[in-house]
């Protein structure tokens, strides 16, 4: 009886110990601390300079909490990223020769098909010209009343076109895709709606100018027609 009691007591203690360990995990502690910060932020009211100062100080504590979280996960993220890079590197190394072989064969198949298409287009063009010539002769024969000759020439014209009818070769699992592409021939002729503003360039120009609370558009040194530079305020806080 005493043995059973001891065993039950031991099991209960083990569960409680595990629960206590889980509750005191640093990750859970951070979660609890961050939840409290959210509640505190929701309760902040700024209606005076003093309250604004308190809010600013609290903002720096939020940044500090964020840094604490990032530091907590930094090592795990680094190890996971290194493992991911190693796996991706091995994968890429093994795929590289296969991708190279695939590209070689694709280019050869594409070159063959394009050559066949050119030959087909040329044959179709010549056949169409010959069919048109025969049809003219057939029309002349019909006008002269030589129905037999006219019908014979019409049949010959039809057969000329039919002889170059192309049936594409089909290979299991292989298909040819076509897409339209473009290139600039004369930029001065491109309609305005197809031109875009270089946002990256304008951003870099804007960043070269120093701004403060008193900055005005007229203070901006560089003038660009159609572009207005202006200041925008953002709040920055340092962790403490």
């Amino acid at each position: 009886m005493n043995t059973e009691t001891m065993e039950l007591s031991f099991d209960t203690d083990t569960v409680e110990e595990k629960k206590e360990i889980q509750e005191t995990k640093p990750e859970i502690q951070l979660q609890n601390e961050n939840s409290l910060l959210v509640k505190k932020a929701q309760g902040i009211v700024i209606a005076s300079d003093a309250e604004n100062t308190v809010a600013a100080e609290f903002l720096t504590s939020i940044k500090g909490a964020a840094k604490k979280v990032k530091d907590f996960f930094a090592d795990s993220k680094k190890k996971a990223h290194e493992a991911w890079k190693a796996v991706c590197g091995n994968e890429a190394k093994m795929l590289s020769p296969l991708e190279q072989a695939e590209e070689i064969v694709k280019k050869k198949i594409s070159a063959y098909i394009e050559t066949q298409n050119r030959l087909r287009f040329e044959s179709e063009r010549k056949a169409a010209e010959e069919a048109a010539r025969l049809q003219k002769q057939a029309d002349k024969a019909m006008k002269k009343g030589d129905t037999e000759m006219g019908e014979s020439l019409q049949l010959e014209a039809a057969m000329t076109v039919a002889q170059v009818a192309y049936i594409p070769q089909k290979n299991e699992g292989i298909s040819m895709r076509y897409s339209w592409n473009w290139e600039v021939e004369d930029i001065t002729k491109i309609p305005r709606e197809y031109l875009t503003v270089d946002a990256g360039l304008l951003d870099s120009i804007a960043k070269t100018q120093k701004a403060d609370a008193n900055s005005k558009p007229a203070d901006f040194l560089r003038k660009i027609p159609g572009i207005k530079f202006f200041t925008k305020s953002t709040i920055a806080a340092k962790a403490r």
Side-chain angles (χ1 to χ4, degrees):
M1 185 70 177
N2 292 335
T3 303
E4 292 178 356
T5 303
M6 289 177 64
E7 289 177 353
L8 288 172
S9 177
F10 176 79
D11 290 340
T12 303
D13 290 343
T14 303
V15 172
E16 290 177 353
E17 287 174 359
K18 288 181 178 179
K19 184 178 180 181
E20 184 177 354
I21 291 172
Q22 290 177 346
E23 290 178 347
T24 56
K25 280 184 177 180
E27 186 173 345
I28 295 177
Q29 289 180 353
L30 285 175
Q31 290 177 352
N32 293 336
E33 291 173 3
N34 295 342
S35 296
L36 292 175
L37 288 176
V38 173
K39 292 180 180 179
K40 189 172 181 180
Q42 292 172 339
I44 286 179
V45 176
I46 303 176
S48 66
D49 289 345
E51 290 173 337
N52 187 50
T53 299
V54 172
E57 291 177 352
F58 177 64
L59 184 60
T60 60
S61 67
I62 294 175
K63 299 294 289 186
K67 183 178 183 302
K68 190 175 180 181
V69 171
K70 291 179 180 179
D71 291 343
F72 177 79
F73 287 104
D75 187 56
S76 298
K77 286 170 63 179
K78 181 180 178 182
K79 290 179 180 178
H81 184 63
E82 289 174 350
W84 174 79
K85 285 198 300 182
V87 172
C88 290
N90 291 334
E91 179 188 44
K93 186 176 180 180
M94 295 183 70
L95 286 175
S96 180
L98 301 178
E99 292 170 348
Q100 184 180 1
E102 180 182 349
E103 187 65 21
I104 291 172
V105 177
K106 279 184 174 180
K107 286 182 178 179
K108 291 183 177 182
I109 292 176
S110 179
Y112 171 77
I113 293 176
E114 288 178 0
T115 299
Q116 294 304 306
N117 283 338
R118 284 196 297 271
L119 294 174
R120 175 169 63 89
F121 294 151
E122 181 62 18
S123 297
E124 289 176 349
R125 183 187 65 79
K126 290 180 178 179
E129 291 177 353
E130 179 63 14
R133 187 184 68 79
L134 292 171
Q135 185 60 48
K136 285 182 179 180
Q137 292 182 355
D139 293 341
K140 289 180 180 179
M142 288 292 191
K143 287 180 180 179
K144 292 179 180 180
D146 192 345
T147 304
E148 184 178 351
M149 177 60 72
E151 290 178 348
S152 176
L153 289 169
Q154 285 179 339
L155 179 60
E156 187 177 352
M159 291 299 295
T160 300
V161 175
Q163 286 175 0
V164 294
Y166 176 70
I167 300 177
Q169 179 187 13
K170 291 185 178 180
N171 294 308
E172 189 68 27
I174 304 297
S175 62
M176 191 73 169
R177 296 178 181 176
Y178 297 91
S179 62
W180 287 98
N181 294 284
W182 62 273
E183 62 182 7
V184 176
E185 289 185 327
D186 187 345
I187 196 170
T188 62
K189 295 181 179 179
I190 299 176
R192 182 179 177 83
E193 60 265 27
Y194 296 102
L195 301 176
T196 58
V197 175
D198 191 337
L201 176 60
L202 293 174
D203 284 341
S204 65
I205 293 173
K207 289 176 182 178
T208 61
Q209 303 297 309
K210 292 184 178 180
D212 56 32
N214 298 316
S215 296
K216 299 178 181 179
D219 298 330
F220 201 83
L221 299 179
R222 185 169 177 178
K223 309 299 180 184
I224 300 177
I227 300 295
K228 175 185 176 182
F229 290 96
F230 60 93
T231 59
K232 183 179 180 181
S233 64
T234 53
I235 301 299
K238 294 182 179 180
R240 64 171 185 175

